Structures are given as C-alpha cells and as structure tokens.
Amino acid sequence: MFVGRVSFGAVVAFLNGYDIASEKALLDGFREWLAAKLGYGWNLVYWALAEKLIFPDGRPEEPWSPETEQHAVAGLIGLIDKYFDNLASNPEERPETV
C-alpha cells in the first residue's frame, strides 16, 4: 500500500477513513475526551482539539516543516495511545458522545 509522505493531514485522513470503516467505533469518544482535557472545544473536530494540545502556543504557520509534521503526527498518535490506555483502565469513564 502506498501512503505517500507522512503528514498530520494524511494521518488524520487515514484515521477518518478507518473510523468510518469501523462504523465510528475507532474514535468513539476521542473528541469528547480531548475537549474534556482542554476544558473547551466541544464543538470542534478531534484534529483541531489535538492541534491545540500538541501546539499549546498556537498552530504553526503553513507550510509546516518536516520536523513540525513529525511532531504533530507523534503528538496525535501519543494522544490516541493515552485515550486507549484510559479506556482500557477505566472503561466506564468513556465520555458521552454527541
């Protein structure tokens, strides 16, 4: 399978496709979990919330350097890992999805 250059946008697109294929089971509650971590942003998509956590001083101007893309991708994967770890240890605390 060809995936091209790894970028934040490409990873988000892959995750969105996987989420749709899993009938929204993959990322169920992830957006709400991110918004709870931030304390705001309940109306935002998960990748915008993730960017706010990955870049607390503000989103870098585009085009992003390869290092910034790598930082963003690693940050997103790290947040997903933390979310899944949280679900594994506290399954009853799954955020309410809208």
Side-chain angles (χ1 to χ4, degrees), residues 12-22:
V12 166
F14 175 83
L15 290 171
N16 288 343
Y18 196 103
D19 191 45
I20 290 168
S22 71

Side-chain angles (χ1 to χ4, degrees), residues 28-30 32-34 36 42 83 86-87 92-97:
D28 185 34
F30 183 54
E32 292 79 9
W33 182 79
L34 292 170
W42 304 98
Y83 175 64
N86 183 63
L87 281 182
E92 68 281 351
E93 291 184 21
R94 178 178 284 245
E96 292 296 320
T97 57

Side-chain angles (χ1 to χ4, degrees), residues 13-52:
F14 175 83
L15 290 171
N16 288 343
Y18 196 103
D19 191 45
I20 290 168
S22 71
E23 297 181 355
K24 306 261 182 181
L26 176 68
L27 300 176
D28 185 34
F30 183 54
R31 181 181 64 84
E32 292 79 9
W33 182 79
L34 292 170
K37 286 182 77 61
L38 285 168
Y40 66 91
W42 304 98
N43 60 328
L44 298 176
V45 293
Y46 78 86
W47 61 86
L49 295 168
E51 282 183 359
K52 291 183 179 298

